[in-house]
Amino acid sequence: MSPKTYNRVATLLDITDHNFSGFFVGQTLEAVILGTLCGVGMLLFRLPFALTIGTFIGFTALIPLFGAWAGAGVGFLLIASQDLSQAVFFIIYIIILQQLESNLIYPRVVGNSIGIPGIWVLVAITIGAGVGGIAGMLLGVPVFATVYQVIGILTKKRLQMKQLATEE
């Protein structure tokens, strides 16, 4: 492999590694935040199984956007075994918490961890889910971030080349 090709491939692999590791760190941080908010809120509202359900929702939230809903379903069943009215209140609480998390917390935490704006995180998840389902949701954000950064690098190089051409 020529040195020029090697440098290009190494740069691409470095960007990809950074984006994938940053995404999974951000995804884990977001899941911890959601699980903590859920558990603390449930404790404040004196709902049963608060820490168990909060922890479970934190683990299921590792699947972007969809996972926390699966955890909420299990939480609903657990709480409904004790008191149906509390289970309904739990679902209302989770809907509100999920709206905050999906639209505010998730794009910022994951976007900051990989260096792309939050709106592009939502776009990447939407496109990834449409193309590849759950796997697309997991891989869409780091793949999109890699493409986004490579396009940025190429654009910057072309602008620098144009500026050099106009100066000569």
Side-chain angles (χ1 to χ4, degrees):
M1 188 179 301
S2 71
K4 185 177 181 180
T5 304
Y6 172 80
N7 286 336
R8 287 180 177 172
V9 170
T11 300
L12 178 63
L13 290 176
D14 186 47
I15 291 170
T16 303
D17 176 56
H18 171 72
N19 287 330
F20 272 82
S21 62
F23 171 73
F24 288 111
V25 166
Q27 187 70 24
T28 304
L29 177 61
E30 182 273 331
V32 168
I33 291 169
L34 181 63
T36 302
L37 288 174
C38 180
V40 168
M42 288 178 69
L43 283 173
L44 290 173
F45 292 124
R46 300 186 189 278
L47 296 173
F49 309 112
L51 297 179
T52 303
I53 294 171
T55 303
F56 187 71
I57 286 179
F59 279 115
T60 58
L62 291 171
I63 301 170
L65 301 178
F66 168 75
W69 291 111
V74 172
F76 174 81
L77 292 175
L78 281 173
I79 296 171
S81 71
Q82 300 292 311
D83 184 358
L84 188 58
S85 63
Q86 284 186 328
V88 171
F89 180 78
F90 168 73
I91 290 298
I92 293 168
Y93 172 67
I94 286 296
I95 289 171
I96 293 168
L97 184 61
Q98 262 305 100
Q99 289 302 309
L100 289 172
E101 185 268 338
S102 295
N103 295 316
L104 295 176
I105 298 170
Y106 184 83
R108 288 194 180 163
V109 169
V110 174
N112 288 341
S113 68
I114 57 176
I116 63 173
I119 188 69
W120 290 117
V121 172
L122 292 175
V123 168
I125 289 173
T126 304
I127 293 171
V131 171
I134 293 176
M137 291 171 81
L138 285 171
L139 299 175
V141 175
V143 168
F144 182 86
T146 301
V147 170
Y148 181 86
Q149 290 178 354
V150 167
I151 289 172
I153 291 169
L154 293 174
T155 302
K156 185 176 179 181
K157 282 185 180 181
R158 290 195 73 182
L159 288 172
Q160 287 173 346
M161 288 174 58
K162 278 189 171 188
Q163 189 176 23
L164 286 175
T166 59
E167 289 177 2
E168 295 174 359

